[in-house]
Amino acid sequence: MKNVDLLTVLFASGIYLVMYIVWYSNFLFGKIYKKIIKKHHKKDFFHFFKIFILVFITCYIVELFEVLVGITTFWDGVFFGFLIWLG
């Protein structure tokens, strides 16, 4: 089994969670999102915990792919991210 850096996975998951909170806050697009969905979700600790766990699993799988493919440079990572986005 290849070595996956869990600290990097935790950092990426934390950054994604912060971006999620800011994106769906009332400051940016929260009011518009609630109006479109016409449902008000109560966002408590359990909601954010579920989001963090799902994002952690996703980041771990992407990191595992990067390790298995052998990506070592920044531009290889950018190209790999583009291919994942394209797929």
Side-chain angles (χ1 to χ4, degrees):
M1 186 76 181
K2 302 287 183 170
N3 291 334
V4 174
D5 187 12
L6 287 179
L7 185 62
T8 305
V9 174
L10 277 172
F11 181 73
S13 302
I15 293 296
Y16 183 91
L17 186 64
V18 168
M19 288 174 31
Y20 175 84
I21 291 170
V22 170
W23 188 264
Y24 289 110
S25 69
N26 288 334
F27 180 68
L28 284 180
F29 301 112
K31 293 178 184 176
I32 298 169
Y33 178 73
K34 289 176 188 173
K35 191 182 293 185
I36 291 171
I37 298 298
K38 296 178 183 163
K39 227 191 237 187
H40 295 286
H41 295 286
K42 186 177 180 182
K43 294 183 179 171
D44 54 353
F45 176 77
F46 185 67
H47 172 77
F48 292 119
F49 182 73
K50 285 190 309 188
I51 296 294
F52 181 79
I53 293 300
L54 292 173
V55 168
F56 181 82
I57 292 169
T58 304
C59 289
Y60 184 85
I61 291 171
V62 169
E63 174 75 16
L64 185 63
F65 283 155
E66 288 177 356
V67 168
L68 291 175
V69 171
I71 295 173
T72 56
T73 65
F74 174 76
W75 290 110
D76 288 344
V78 169
F79 182 68
F80 184 71
F82 175 73
L83 290 178
I84 288 177
W85 171 81
L86 191 62

